[in-house]
Amino acid sequence: MTPKYAPPVWAALLGSGFAGMLVAVQSRVNGGLSQELGDGYLTAAVSFSSGLAILVLIVILSRDAKDGFRRLRAELGSRRLPWWALTGGACGAFFVLGQGLVASVIGLALFTVGIVAGQVFGGLVMDRLGLGPGGRVDPTPQRVIGTVLAIVAVALSVLSDFGGGDEGHGSQLWLMLLPLISGALVAWQSAVNGLVRAAAQSAVTSTFVNFVVGTAILVVAASVSVAVGGWPETWPSDPLLYIGGATGVIFIGIAAMLVRAAGVLLLSMSNVAGQLLAAVAFEAALPLADGLTPWLLAGAAIALLAVTIAALPSRRRG
């Protein structure tokens, strides 16, 4: 089940950083769609369902994916792959739901730093426990320092909320709990999707499984929401508000391919860099809430430094 080729760590980090930018794009798109529809549950279901539709077409055309399903079935049947490895889609569903429910309220940048905090803690713990496909990765001094700096970056970014003078917005800081939890679940999602990818030997197969599970959960949640609140009277005409599913497909696929090369923590850290860069750009040009502040810029800069330090190779003596 070992992949034929594993990219070098620097290439995996660049790819993961790009994937992180796509996460910010998806958060901005889904946050905007949620504002238009007035229903975060329906927004999340639309995003995941559109991604699943794209994957269905890819699976139909991909022999690799079909072979991957056969291998995956065999691994599950022999219990070499535990059932909980299929829970990545549930984590993704929770994350996309947070984009629709929270990002549109507290803003993309603040939502992103909440994701950051969850990711760095989750990545460090999961690497230490050996839950990813690359096995146990003990924390080096560089990784610990990088993690601490990432948390400092989060604290600075959150200061923008306290310093903005908007008491109503400050009282909504409890909403940060959802992106914090989502960030930890994203790290778990990367780890278990990597296990599925290794078992199936197909990134398409692991991504498809992720979207099937997530779509099923979100369709049920959206059905309840529509039954209670009703169907939206109008739908936005801007096609860019519907690309969340496509960006999710690319992000999940990249993460599944690269987690073995980079490890869960470094994958999470490079995702952090990409997310923050894109979030800062969006908050400056197309803000969902209060826009860009000096605190958010300082937090993004420190987070980039954290990723650089965490990626440095450790020195071994002897």
Side-chain angles (χ1 to χ4, degrees):
M1 297 193 303
T2 302
K4 295 180 180 179
Y5 170 75
V9 172
W10 67 265
L13 293 177
L14 285 177
S16 181
F18 172 72
M21 292 183 178
L22 292 180
V23 174
V25 171
Q26 186 188 54
S27 296
R28 177 60 182 85
V29 167
N30 287 344
L33 182 59
S34 177
Q35 286 181 336
E36 294 286 337
L37 294 179
D39 189 332
Y41 296 96
L42 186 58
T43 295
V46 168
S47 179
F48 246 80
S49 297
S50 62
L52 180 59
I54 294 171
L55 283 168
V56 168
L57 294 176
I58 295 175
V59 167
I60 291 174
L61 299 174
S62 173
R63 181 178 178 180
D64 176 70
K66 297 181 181 67
D67 292 340
F69 287 123
R70 187 181 65 253
R71 299 187 192 100
L72 181 60
R73 190 183 307 113
E75 292 296 305
L76 288 170
S78 65
R79 297 186 179 180
R80 287 190 293 268
L81 181 70
W83 65 268
W84 48 259
L86 303 180
T87 60
C91 301
F94 192 85
F95 174 72
V96 173
L97 187 59
Q99 292 174 337
L101 293 176
V102 178
S104 59
V105 178
I106 66 175
L108 180 57
L110 197 55
F111 177 82
T112 300
V113 296
I115 296 294
V116 167
Q119 278 185 290
V120 293
F121 274 122
L124 184 66
V125 170
M126 287 171 207
D127 269 349
R128 182 67 176 80
L129 296 177
L131 295 178
R136 177 172 168 171
V137 180
D138 291 326
T140 63
Q142 291 90 336
R143 290 187 174 195
V144 173
I145 292 172
T147 300
V148 171
L149 283 176
I151 300 305
V152 171
V154 171
L156 282 177
S157 299
V158 171
L159 281 177
S160 68
D161 197 71
F162 285 107
D166 186 344
E167 294 181 1
H169 189 52
S171 65
Q172 294 171 339
L173 279 180
W174 64 270
L175 291 175
M176 286 289 287
L177 287 175
L178 188 57
L180 283 168
I181 296 171
S182 295
L185 292 178
V186 166
W188 171 265
Q189 182 185 35
S190 296
V192 296
N193 283 353
L195 292 175
V196 175
R197 194 261 178 184
Q201 299 180 39
S202 169
V204 174
T205 299
S206 64
T207 306
F208 182 82
V209 170
N210 182 91
F211 270 79
V212 167
V213 174
T215 299
I217 294 172
L218 289 174
V219 166
V220 172
S223 298
V224 174
S225 178
V226 170
V228 173
W231 191 256
E233 295 182 2
T234 60
W235 288 73
S237 58
D238 186 356
L240 292 179
L241 292 177
Y242 300 96
I243 66 172
T247 56
V249 169
I250 299 172
F251 162 70
I252 297 298
I254 291 176
M257 288 188 292
L258 298 181
V259 66
R260 177 181 290 271
V264 179
L265 175 62
L266 286 185
L267 191 76
S268 298
M269 296 291 278
S270 53
N271 262 278
V272 164
Q275 287 179 60
L276 282 171
L277 284 172
V280 165
F282 277 123
E283 204 70 8
L286 298 168
L288 282 173
D290 294 338
L292 195 60
T293 69
W295 290 112
L296 287 174
L297 284 173
I302 293 177
L304 289 175
L305 177 63
V307 173
T308 302
I309 293 176
L312 291 175
S314 61
R315 296 180 179 179
R316 297 180 179 178
R317 298 180 179 180

